[in-house]
């Protein structure tokens, strides 16, 4: 389906949606939102891109294999941060107890490892959305027939 | 005033939910469901939970709609 308006509007909108998603992810410890919400926004923007152009354009940006790798690495970031706290002598996901400097409250780079955890969750959720869409739309037909 | 807006939105939610179940055109049902999710996000915001409002707007109105549209494009449009 060749729809000029949908293509141009999505081409304009998608970068702003992704920027807002990154904002929500990185301010997860300061403002409403966090890894799940921001990751869902980023994933929805990629799905919108792949749906308004075609599947080949979407897989050119983020391929199916890359989204699978990102999905696993998001979980690994979460587990790695948690296990690093154990190696530092605290409980799983221990933050201040493990001796990590917290910084001044209210700054962007504060609250120790929470930001890294939120980033891992965001990567995981975003790539899960993309993988879900690719697995659903990839079938015997690889054309861009939508509705 | 806020109470009036709240009742208006809740009435719209009920109307949307009933019409999603009653419509035969699946594409129209998906679009009505998107409107339901958007109004639900505003209701969450009025209930002072902006976190859930962001998630509802992203998941309910964004991802669910796109996945259901993909499912309709794989199957047929009318029930």
């Amino acid at each position: 389906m060749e729809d000029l308006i949908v293509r141009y509007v999505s081409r304009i909108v998608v970068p702003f949606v992704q920027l807002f998603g990154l904002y929500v992810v990185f301010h997860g410890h300061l403002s409403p939102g966090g890894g799940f919400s921001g990751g869902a926004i980023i994933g929805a923007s990629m799905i919108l891109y792949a749906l308004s152009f075609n599947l080949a354009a979407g897989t050119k940006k983020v391929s199916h294999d890359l989204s699978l790798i990102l999905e696993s690495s998001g979980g690994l970031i979460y587990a790695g941060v948690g296990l690093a706290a154990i190696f530092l002598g605290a409980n799983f996901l221990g933050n201040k107890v493990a001796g990590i400097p917290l910084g001044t409250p209210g700054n962007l780079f504060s609250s120790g490892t929470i930001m890294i955890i939120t980033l891992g969750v965001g990567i995981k959720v975003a790539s899960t959305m993309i993988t879900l869409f690719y697995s659903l739309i990839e079938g015997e037909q690889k054309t861009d027939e939508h509705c | 005033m806020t109470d009036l807006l709240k009742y208006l939105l809740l009435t719209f939610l009920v109307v949307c939910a009933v019409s999603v179940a009653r419509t035969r055109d699946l594409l129209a049902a998906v679009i009505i469901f998107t409107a339901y999710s958007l109004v639900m996000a505003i209701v969450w915001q009025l209930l002072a939970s902006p976190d859930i409002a962001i998630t509802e707007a992203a998941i309910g109105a964004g991802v669910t709609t796109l996945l259901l549209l993909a499912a309709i494009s794989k199957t047929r449009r009318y029930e």
Side-chain angles (χ1 to χ4, degrees), chain A residues 32-33 36-37 40-41 44 47 51 129 132 136-137 139 141 146-147, chain B residues 27 50-51 54-55 58-59 62-63 66-67 69-74:
Chain A
F36 188 75
S37 314
I41 293 171
I47 295 177
L51 198 62
M129 298 293 170
L132 206 61
L136 191 64
I137 205 74
Q141 55 161 3
H146 295 309
C147 308
Chain B
L27 186 63
D51 198 355
I54 293 175
T55 311
I59 298 285
V63 178
L66 293 176
L67 288 179
L69 280 182
I72 287 178
S73 78
K74 281 289 183 187

Side-chain angles (χ1 to χ4, degrees), chain B:
Chain B
M1 185 60 203
T2 315
D3 281 344
L4 182 67
L5 178 65
K6 207 178 284 182
Y7 291 132
L8 209 65
L9 290 177
L10 291 176
T11 314
F12 187 77
L13 278 184
V14 173
V15 171
C16 275
V18 171
S19 56
V20 162
R22 288 187 65 84
T23 182
R24 293 285 139 193
D25 189 354
L26 292 180
L27 186 63
V30 170
I31 301 301
I32 297 170
F33 189 65
T34 306
Y36 173 88
S37 288
L38 275 177
V39 174
M40 197 68 214
I42 302 172
V43 171
W44 285 125
Q45 176 64 37
L46 285 178
L47 291 172
S49 65
D51 198 355
I52 311 296
I54 293 175
T55 311
E56 177 77 33
I59 298 285
V63 178
T64 309
T65 307
L66 293 176
L67 288 179
L68 286 174
L69 280 182
I72 287 178
S73 78
K74 281 289 183 187
T75 56
R76 61 186 195 281
R77 181 174 162 180
Y78 292 98
E79 196 175 348

Side-chain angles (χ1 to χ4, degrees), chain A residues 21-22 25-26 34-40 42-43 62 66-78 115-131:
Chain A
L22 284 177
V25 167
F26 280 108
F36 188 75
S37 314
I42 297 174
V62 181
L66 178 65
S67 67
L68 282 177
I69 292 169
L70 282 176
E71 191 178 352
S72 307
S73 64
L76 277 180
I77 287 173
Y78 192 98
M115 198 170 157
I116 310 171
I117 292 169
T118 313
L119 183 63
V121 174
I123 293 172
K124 171 88 177 164
V125 175
S127 53
T128 302
M129 298 293 170
I130 299 170
T131 313

